[in-house]
Amino acid sequence: MVAGELLQEHAPAAAAACEAASALKTADTHYTELSDTNTAVIHVTAPDSRQRAADSELPPDEEEAMLPSERGEPPTTKLYYRRFAVLTIFSLYSLVNAFQWIQYSIIANIFAQYYGVTNVMIDWLSVVYMVAYVPLIFPATWLLDWKGLRVTALLGAGLNCVGAWMKCASVGPHLFWVTMLAQVVCSVAQVFILGLPSRIASVWFGPKEVSTACATAVLGNQLGVAIGFLLPPVLVPNTPEDKQLMSHNISIMFYGTAAVSTLLFILTVIVIQDRPPLPPSQAQAILPTSPTEDYSYKKSIINLFRNKPFILLLLSYGIMTGSFYSVSTLLNQMIIAHYEGEELNAGRIGLTLVVAGMVGSILCGLWLDHTKTYKVTTLVVYVLSFIGMLVFTFTLDSGYLLVVFFTAGALGFFMTGYLPIGFEFGVEITYPESEGTSSGLLNAFAQVFGIVFTLIQGKLTSDYKPLVGNIFICAWIFGGIILTALIKSELKRHGANMGSKSQPVPTECPSEKVTNGVRVESSSSLSRETSL
């Protein structure tokens, strides 16, 4: 009763202060800035009587035309079954693109012999994916912001299809330059693919399934890498004495890839749309469906680079993902160095690494949807990835392939499982900035680190031995653990989703943020990471 009396005594004074501070504001509900403690509450103010009177005088037809949020009603949200079709088609053409990335590296010795080039040239068929991404990510994310999901998806699926057909024309020992050109086209397609998982998850899926949806979208890319490890050694066995048979086998792989790519491009045209008619979550409902007049892509980029937690995440995500790219690219060379003639098992070990990572991705996505403990999960997975890399490094030359299978699976479970966690963590700490922009920058840093790590680890592996190259990667992952521990976790998107469901208590004036044309009221009790 004492608390109730105190609230009654102070509520009129607080309401009067808020009315004076917000006389020109029309929003019904505001949220205070994040306080220094984790126990802050949401504070709201009600519109004054003059505003209510003005609202009541709106003509009926004009009032009906207003959005629910403009009438003071909570926005209407809805989940559509089409979201599963969009997610499936995207995951499949992302799969084919990833398959085309790794299909050369896993049988690097065979392609080097077929085209008469060095292993370094074959490595560049993988590295070109990373090189192309870095300069093209900015126009690609700009296109995603201004033209939407559908146009970006069509470009990704279309270029992927064109590159696959170009490879069909590269079958011939003297046509290495054609296969390199085709791989460049596929690498450009990748730019319009890798940044989409977070956007698809955010605009099509609800708050209780968004992390799982993002993990599933990333899963398609991982599955493509897994198939890229498995099929090429089976379809193109090492037949150095018969170049004609080798050409026939390579043709089968290339034409099969082109046919699947064509089918998926057609399905992309039919299925994928920018967004559903109604938003899937409150966080999406309060954002504009298209860039506002005062939206600036340049300002969005500047905002992200001023976000210190995001900068730390960029570096740590780049280190982990770049390490995965490097290990994947050089896996064949590492295995062959210790187990000569085991090309087929090298592919199977790569498959084990990625399939285990796919399981890790889904489990991590489900865990994040359930707990929202982004930083804790990210840090734990990072530490376990470091331990897995150490074990893999010092058991690679044990002489027992079964041990390598086991250690590679453990490494993949955590290292590959980290990928969707980084995406979703980035979206949370940068909301309401575009998911495509934050994901694109994360991937750009991953490509930069991937290029550097692949070239340096490849040089160390060839000049010395795989142990030296792997120790180099271990040292960088340890540095990534430190960077991850320094990230300050503020779950802004989660706060937006949960804040709209909270009951208003008129106690003090709101405090607002404006981020690149979008007004955001942060929920202080919900914007920090929840804990178990």
Side-chain angles (χ1 to χ4, degrees):
M1 291 181 63
V2 173
E5 291 172 359
L6 288 174
L7 180 61
Q8 290 176 359
E9 289 178 7
H10 288 86
C18 289
E19 182 176 353
S22 60
L24 299 179
K25 296 187 175 82
T26 59
D28 292 326
T29 304
H30 302 284
Y31 302 97
T32 63
E33 293 286 352
L34 182 67
S35 67
D36 293 334
T37 66
N38 294 338
T39 56
V41 296
I42 300 170
H43 303 289
V44 298
T45 61
D48 58 28
S49 58
R50 289 172 296 175
Q51 182 63 43
R52 286 194 296 268
D55 290 343
S56 63
E57 294 174 1
L58 287 174
D61 56 343
E62 184 175 340
E63 184 174 0
E64 291 177 1
M66 294 173 66
L67 295 172
S69 58
E70 293 173 327
R71 295 197 299 265
E73 303 173 6
T76 302
T77 62
K78 183 177 179 180
L79 296 178
Y80 295 84
Y81 286 110
R82 189 187 188 98
R83 70 191 189 278
F84 298 114
V86 171
L87 182 62
T88 300
I89 298 303
F90 167 78
S91 298
L92 288 175
Y93 78 73
S94 178
L95 177 155
V96 175
N97 184 261
F99 173 82
Q100 296 197 80
W101 165 60
I102 204 66
Q103 66 183 160
Y104 295 99
S105 297
I106 196 58
I107 49 175
N109 58 320
I110 296 176
F111 272 109
Q113 187 178 54
Y114 179 73
Y115 284 116
V117 297
T118 63
N119 279 338
V120 174
M121 295 301 295
I122 300 300
D123 289 344
W124 271 99
L125 289 170
S126 172
V127 173
V128 70
Y129 260 60
M130 309 173 204
V131 172
Y133 193 92
V134 178
L136 294 177
I137 183 55
F138 295 104
T141 52
W142 177 88
L143 184 74
L144 179 60
D145 284 348
W146 285 97
K147 297 300 181 181
L149 175 63
R150 178 175 169 82
V151 171
T152 308
L154 288 175
L155 272 174
L159 289 172
N160 200 47
C161 179
V162 171
W165 282 108
M166 289 176 64
K167 288 183 181 182
C168 297
S170 72
V171 179
H174 60 290
L175 295 175
F176 178 77
W177 67 273
V178 179
T179 209
M180 175 63 81
L181 183 61
Q183 193 74 335
V184 170
V185 174
C186 292
S187 68
V188 175
Q190 177 209 214
V191 180
F192 301 100
I193 294 174
L194 287 188
L196 295 188
S198 293
R199 170 62 67 91
I200 290 174
S202 294
V203 303
W204 281 96
F205 289 81
K208 294 183 178 180
E209 57 188 12
V210 63
S211 295
T212 305
C214 182
T216 304
V218 174
L219 188 73
N221 198 268
Q222 297 171 3
L223 183 58
V225 176
I227 296 175
F229 280 129
L230 177 66
L231 281 186
V234 175
L235 296 175
V236 188
N238 194 3
T239 57
E241 69 286 347
D242 192 344
K243 284 287 185 74
Q244 187 174 357
L245 177 60
M246 191 178 291
S247 294
H248 175 72
N249 293 333
I250 292 174
S251 292
I252 291 176
M253 181 170 68
F254 284 167
Y255 275 102
T257 305
V260 174
S261 298
T262 304
L263 174 62
L264 290 173
F265 175 69
I266 295 171
L267 291 175
T268 301
V269 174
I270 297 172
V271 172
I272 294 187
Q273 296 178 347
D274 283 334
R275 60 182 65 246
L278 292 175
S281 65
Q282 301 289 347
Q284 283 296 307
I286 65 176
L287 295 177
T289 57
S290 60
T292 58
E293 292 182 1
D294 59 347
Y295 173 80
S296 167
Y297 177 73
K298 179 180 178 181
K299 184 178 179 181
S300 179
I301 295 292
I302 292 173
N303 288 340
L304 290 175
F305 277 107
R306 287 177 176 173
N307 187 326
K308 292 181 180 179
F310 185 64
I311 294 297
L312 293 172
L313 181 63
L314 281 177
L315 295 173
S316 60
Y317 184 88
I319 291 170
M320 176 63 76
T321 311
S323 299
F324 168 72
Y325 290 161
S326 182
V327 170
S328 299
T329 301
L330 301 171
L331 185 62
N332 171 268
Q333 298 175 40
M334 287 190 281
I335 299 299
I336 296 301
H338 294 294
Y339 307 92
E340 188 176 350
E342 294 288 352
E343 291 90 356
L344 189 58
N345 274 322
R348 291 170 177 167
I349 291 170
L351 175 67
T352 302
L353 185 148
V354 178
V355 169
M358 291 161 54
V359 176
S361 293
I362 293 298
L363 292 179
C364 288
L366 292 169
W367 174 259
L368 289 180
D369 277 332
H370 179 68
T371 65
K372 303 300 180 184
T373 53
Y374 288 86
K375 179 178 176 178
V376 173
T377 304
T378 302
L379 187 58
V380 168
V381 171
Y382 221 117
V383 171
L384 293 175
S385 297
F386 172 70
I387 295 173
M389 189 65 201
L390 280 177
V391 174
F392 175 79
T393 297
F394 291 102
T395 58
L396 183 61
D397 60 349
S398 65
Y400 299 98
L401 272 174
L402 185 62
V403 174
V404 181
F405 271 96
F406 178 79
T407 56
L411 174 64
F413 182 87
F414 298 110
M415 183 178 279
T416 316
Y418 171 83
L419 304 183
I421 300 175
F423 272 158
E424 285 297 284
F425 196 16
V427 173
E428 287 288 344
I429 62 180
T430 61
Y431 178 87
E433 301 297 343
S434 169
E435 304 91 348
T437 305
S438 62
S439 298
L441 288 175
L442 286 170
N443 277 318
F445 271 66
Q447 308 301 329
V448 170
F449 278 97
I451 295 168
V452 175
F453 288 174
T454 301
L455 295 178
I456 296 178
Q457 187 184 9
K459 183 69 173 174
L460 293 173
T461 299
S462 59
D463 289 356
Y464 301 96
K465 53 184 179 179
L467 177 66
V468 178
N470 285 333
I471 290 176
F472 167 79
I473 295 296
C474 289
W476 276 95
I477 294 178
F478 181 78
I481 294 174
I482 298 173
L483 293 173
T484 302
L486 296 175
I487 297 175
K488 179 182 178 182
S489 177
E490 291 186 55
L491 307 186
K492 299 176 182 178
R493 182 181 63 179
H494 178 59
N497 280 324
M498 299 301 294
S500 59
K501 302 176 183 180
S502 304
Q503 296 299 322
V505 181
T507 56
E508 65 184 42
C509 296
S511 130
E512 300 174 344
K513 284 184 179 179
V514 177
T515 304
N516 203 13
V518 179
R519 186 175 299 279
V520 179
E521 293 81 33
S522 60
S523 172
S524 56
S525 64
L526 297 168
S527 60
R528 287 198 185 274
E529 181 168 313
T530 56
S531 58
L532 293 178

